[in-house]
Amino acid sequence: MLRKALLFSALISVHFANQVQAQDVALLSPTKILKLIPNRIQRFQQTNDPKALQMKVGTLTYTLCERNFNDGNRTVKILLFDFKEASIMYTQATRKWNNQLTIESDSLVDRSVIIRNCMGWESFNKRNQTSQLFLGIRDRFLLTMTGEKMEPGELRKILDEFSLDEFPK
C-alpha cells in the first residue's frame, strides 16, 4: 500500500513538474511579454499606452510588444518579440551578427556586441544621433531599442533596467 502511495505521489510530482516546465517554454501571451519590459525608465516618461499582440503568419506564431518613452527631445522605442514558435524568424533576424563586418566611420558605427551574455548588434548614426540596439535573448526573444538623440551607451544603460535573467527559456 505504501509503495502504491509513493508511486502515485511520484507520478503526480512528475506531472506537475512537466506542467511547470511547459509553462516556462510556451509562447508568452501579450500580457506576459509586456511585463518583461520595464514600465519606467529613469528620466523618461512613457508616451502612450503600451501595445502587445500575438501574430500568426502562416504556420508561425509570435508575440510582440512595444513601449515608447521620451525625455524632452530624446525618444526611446522598445520592441520585444517572442519567437518561441517561430524560430526561423529569430534565426533570420540574428544571423548576420556573427558574419557582418564592423563599420566605424565619421558618420556611422555598426558592430556586433555581447551584453550580459546576450549576442546583439548596435548601430549609431552620428549625423542624426540615432542609436539602435538589437539583442537576442535565450535564443528566442529579440529585443530592439531605438533611441533618437541618443548615443549607444545610453541605450545600453537603459538595458540595465531589464531583468534579462527572468526571461523564460
Side-chain angles (χ1 to χ4, degrees):
M1 184 72 164
L2 181 59
R3 279 188 191 172
K4 286 183 181 179
L6 289 174
L7 180 60
F8 180 73
S9 295
L11 289 174
I12 294 293
S13 296
V14 168
H15 173 75
F16 284 116
N18 288 339
Q19 279 187 330
V20 169
Q21 287 175 345
Q23 289 172 356
D24 287 344
V25 297
L27 181 69
L28 294 182
S29 69
T31 304
K32 288 183 180 177
I33 193 171
L34 195 55
K35 291 178 182 177
L36 294 174
I37 298 178
N39 55 11
R40 291 185 176 164
I41 296 176
Q42 194 171 40
R43 295 186 304 270
F44 284 83
Q45 300 295 320
Q46 193 165 293
T47 59
N48 54 12
D49 289 335
K51 300 172 189 147
L53 55 117
Q54 203 163 73
M55 301 287 293
K56 186 167 178 71
V57 179
T59 60
L60 304 175
T61 304
Y62 65 94
T63 309
L64 158 69
C65 67
E66 174 183 348
R67 286 192 193 262
N68 294 287
F69 300 88
N70 73 12
D71 174 22
N73 64 344
R74 300 182 317 157
T75 62
V76 177
K77 179 178 186 172
I78 300 172
L79 295 171
L80 180 62
F81 299 84
D82 181 359
F83 289 130
K84 176 65 181 169
E85 294 179 11
S87 60
I88 188 80
M89 294 175 79
Y90 177 87
T91 301
Q92 288 176 341
T94 61
R95 71 177 170 202
K96 76 170 189 169
W97 298 343
N98 293 326
N99 302 326
Q100 193 159 334
L101 297 174
T102 297
I103 298 171
E104 292 193 37
S105 69
D106 292 341
S107 61
L108 182 66
V109 174
D110 260 343
R111 61 183 166 221
S112 65
V113 294
I114 297 176
I115 302 171
R116 295 167 53 194
N117 295 322
C118 297
M119 181 67 118
W121 190 264
E122 71 180 355
S123 180
F124 179 52
N125 182 317
K126 295 177 183 179
R127 289 190 180 131
N128 64 12
Q129 296 286 301
T130 300
S131 294
Q132 289 187 304
L133 176 63
F134 304 91
L135 200 63
I137 304 164
R138 299 193 184 251
D139 293 325
R140 93 180 239 188
F141 294 96
L142 178 65
L143 174 66
T144 70
M145 297 172 56
T146 303
E148 299 290 332
K149 309 295 184 212
M150 299 179 75
E151 295 193 13
E154 293 174 282
L155 284 183
R156 281 187 249 119
K157 182 97 172 134
I158 291 170
L159 185 61
D160 289 343
E161 299 192 31
F162 283 77
S163 299
L164 299 181
D165 296 336
E166 294 178 12
F167 279 57
K169 292 181 181 184

